[in-house]
Amino acid sequence: MTADQRYVVTRTIPASPSEVFAVLADPARHRDTEPGDWVRDAIDPEPITAAGQIFAVNMFLPQAGGHYVMHNLVTVFEKDRAIAWLPGQLDDAGHHAAGGWSWCYDLSPDDGQTDVTLTYDWTDTPQSFRDQIGGMPPFGSDFLTESLAALESSIS
């Protein structure tokens, strides 16, 4: 499951790639794909339509001081095939990665179902940030397994 500085987990979901992608491309549904309650509501619930788009969601994490906003830069957008984003913050210079990690969902049709591969990659997380939060990643690979189960439940 761990390859260098990534977790990669796959789950077969009994839904078409377009059904799965529709949830992933809808910022208002992102809280439905998490096993916990870190992700809250979308600030702008407009669907994601292209790479380069930024979507913002309210977040809550006691270790991060409670409520905060995460601005996610979409780095991959291949309708019904793949979507990825780089979480970060906005400042006067634009978007910058908050900690250097990314989320990527790859979808592959599988006999009326969809194999969904979720990759959490923290390769680009600076050591200073790793030290600040007590190491990377801040959760085990089981978090991704639970995320894919939550994604499946949100479609069923």
Side-chain angles (χ1 to χ4, degrees):
M1 275 195 179
T2 303
D4 296 332
Q5 298 184 61
R6 305 181 300 150
Y7 288 144
V8 180
V9 176
T10 300
R11 181 183 185 102
T12 301
I13 294 179
S16 69
S18 64
E19 290 172 299
V20 175
F21 194 85
V23 172
L24 298 172
D26 182 352
R29 302 283 311 272
H30 278 218
R31 67 177 172 213
D32 299 335
T33 68
E34 292 300 320
D37 65 350
W38 288 357
V39 179
R40 301 293 171 96
D41 59 317
I43 292 176
D44 181 356
E46 291 299 313
I48 300 165
T49 58
Q53 184 175 345
I54 293 175
F55 68 96
V57 292
N58 287 306
M59 305 282 292
F60 181 84
L61 188 61
Q63 302 90 316
H67 293 280
Y68 62 100
V69 175
M70 187 64 73
H71 294 86
N72 300 288
L73 173 63
V74 179
T75 55
V76 174
F77 185 91
E78 298 174 25
K79 189 166 174 31
D80 301 339
R81 296 187 39 83
I83 190 167
W85 55 86
L86 185 62
Q89 302 297 315
L90 291 180
D91 59 22
D92 293 339
H95 180 272
H96 71 275
W101 60 86
S102 63
W103 295 93
C104 180
Y105 292 82
D106 290 296
L107 312 179
S108 178
D110 181 6
D111 194 28
Q113 303 182 98
T114 304
D115 293 333
V116 181
T117 300
L118 174 54
T119 302
Y120 176 78
D121 187 330
W122 64 93
T123 304
D124 295 331
T125 301
Q127 189 60 48
S128 60
F129 187 83
R130 294 171 192 236
D131 294 343
Q132 177 185 344
I133 65 164
M136 283 298 283
F139 45 76
S141 62
D142 58 328
F143 185 84
L144 273 69
T145 301
E146 293 168 9
S147 290
L148 291 176
L151 172 62
E152 180 176 338
S153 293
S154 75
I155 296 169
S156 303

